[in-house]
Amino acid sequence: MPRETLNRDQIVDAAIELLDEEGIEGLSMRRLGKRLNSAATAMYWHVGSKENLVVLAGDRVWGEVELVDPQESGWRAAARALVSETYAMVKRHPWLVPAISTHFVYGPGMARFQDHSYAIYEVAGFQGRDLDWAMNTAFTFVAGTALLDATQAAAAKADADDIAAQADQIAAQYPRLKERMAVLGGADPAELLSQKFAFGLETILDGLEARLRGQGSRSPVAAPGLPAEPEARSGSGADEPGDAGAGAGARTDEPGDAGADPGTGADESGAARADESGGPGTGPEDATATGPAPDARPAGRPRRATASATSQSVRGLFH
């Protein structure tokens, strides 16, 4: 592919394919250039650095998550769909979990996901900080499950017999653990995974619904570094927990509003990774708040953008 036909979208798409096949460790500008029949320098020209490319690829895959309108389906069905869709996306791109742990992946794709998450739990009737924590609880479940899956996949690459023997030896000292391992040992792993995910998801939704009905703890909790907020009884005044009118409009000027700064772009992530990478276009920290350097010029070192307190708060819910 001649260099002049390349654009950033093509490079990011090819990077996602390579990341799916080889993981972050297998991604390099040289290998990507070879896949696109172009020089590695052309990759740097369009995306700045490998670090920035991972950020762009990570935000791109967030856009794959299909969104269900909670006003039409009801908040619980929309929440179930969002969690399931997010988990399926992470399974398709297993490199995303380690990427989030080492890169500040944020851009329009993530902002779209966040804003829809707020819409779901706002329709349910959550208000104030409860709105923030409801959507974060569901996201944490997906992230934690995906992390556990990645850990188990890594263990599976090791010697299975040695791992099993060592695990049996350790578990034999704990009767309850030994019993459960014996029971689960003969089960189909895929079926166990499906049951585990469904149980966890429905339990979270049950708990959120119980809180809306006033059965959960009502103690207000202030996040570190955030001012205390008057307690709002989520869902009060709604006939049902899923009442679309409950709490509508209550999130104006909330610090966690995902609608704030939606265009901050994946490259604003650099505030957390200053001066960590070298080479042409030294990484996401060097990009402006509106995205990496345009294709018309090589990535340089423009003035670093400073994220607002609101933007930092909303992204902090997901990292």
Side-chain angles (χ1 to χ4, degrees), residues 161-174 177-178 181-182:
D161 292 336
D162 286 349
I163 291 176
Q166 184 180 13
D168 289 342
Q169 183 180 4
I170 296 172
Q173 305 174 53
Y174 302 94
L177 179 59
K178 180 180 179 180
M181 288 184 67

Side-chain angles (χ1 to χ4, degrees), residues 3 8 41-49 52 279-283 286-288 291-302:
R3 173 176 171 174
R8 179 178 295 163
T41 53
M43 308 300 107
Y44 287 110
W45 177 277
H46 289 292
V47 299
S49 70
N52 198 46
T282 58
D286 296 316
T288 65
D295 293 345
R297 63 174 177 79
R301 186 174 283 274

Side-chain angles (χ1 to χ4, degrees), residues 60-85:
R60 174 74 61 83
V61 299
W62 277 109
E64 297 177 6
V65 178
E66 295 186 13
L67 309 181
V68 174
D69 187 349
Q71 297 281 5
E72 297 179 358
S73 67
W75 79 268
R76 184 158 177 151
R80 184 183 297 110
L82 184 64
V83 170
S84 300
E85 272 284 315

Side-chain angles (χ1 to χ4, degrees), residues 28-273:
S28 71
M29 295 303 196
R30 180 184 60 80
R31 296 184 67 183
L32 188 59
K34 184 176 181 181
R35 177 169 293 219
L36 293 170
N37 193 27
S38 185
T41 53
M43 308 300 107
Y44 287 110
W45 177 277
H46 289 292
V47 299
S49 70
K50 174 183 173 179
E51 297 292 316
N52 198 46
L53 180 57
V54 171
V55 170
L56 292 170
D59 189 65
R60 174 74 61 83
V61 299
W62 277 109
E64 297 177 6
V65 178
E66 295 186 13
L67 309 181
V68 174
D69 187 349
Q71 297 281 5
E72 297 179 358
S73 67
W75 79 268
R76 184 158 177 151
R80 184 183 297 110
L82 184 64
V83 170
S84 300
E85 272 284 315
T86 303
Y87 183 59
M89 181 273 289
V90 172
K91 296 288 284 185
R92 290 194 301 272
H93 307 293
W95 51 271
L96 184 60
V97 172
I100 289 175
S101 68
T102 56
H103 300 69
F104 205 85
V105 178
Y106 195 84
M110 183 56 145
R112 165 184 174 268
F113 172 85
Q114 290 175 323
D115 190 71
H116 186 72
S117 297
Y118 274 119
I120 290 173
Y121 298 106
E122 184 181 76
V123 165
F126 286 102
Q127 303 175 28
R129 293 283 154 70
D130 281 359
L131 176 61
D132 297 325
W133 309 149
M135 52 94 82
N136 187 59
T137 297
F139 177 82
T140 301
F141 170 69
V142 177
T145 302
L147 181 60
L148 181 59
D149 289 349
T151 301
Q152 292 174 337
K157 294 179 180 179
D159 191 314
D161 292 336
D162 286 349
I163 291 176
Q166 184 180 13
D168 289 342
Q169 183 180 4
I170 296 172
Q173 305 174 53
Y174 302 94
R176 297 176 187 83
L177 179 59
K178 180 180 179 180
E179 177 187 359
R180 295 315 304 161
M181 288 184 67
V183 171
L184 298 175
D188 177 52
E191 181 63 22
L192 285 178
L193 183 62
S194 176
Q195 292 178 4
K196 176 185 69 173
F197 186 81
F199 179 88
L201 174 55
E202 295 306 317
T203 299
I204 288 173
L205 296 179
D206 288 345
L208 292 174
E209 194 161 13
R211 189 174 182 89
L212 285 166
R213 289 175 174 169
Q215 299 170 11
S217 170
R218 308 309 310 161
S219 300
V221 178
L226 293 177
E229 203 173 329
E231 179 182 356
R233 293 188 63 87
S234 299
S236 59
D239 293 334
E240 293 294 336
D243 185 357
R251 55 189 281 264
T252 305
D253 297 330
E254 283 297 316
D257 184 2
D261 303 326
T264 48
D267 297 12
E268 194 174 277
S269 61
R273 297 186 53 79

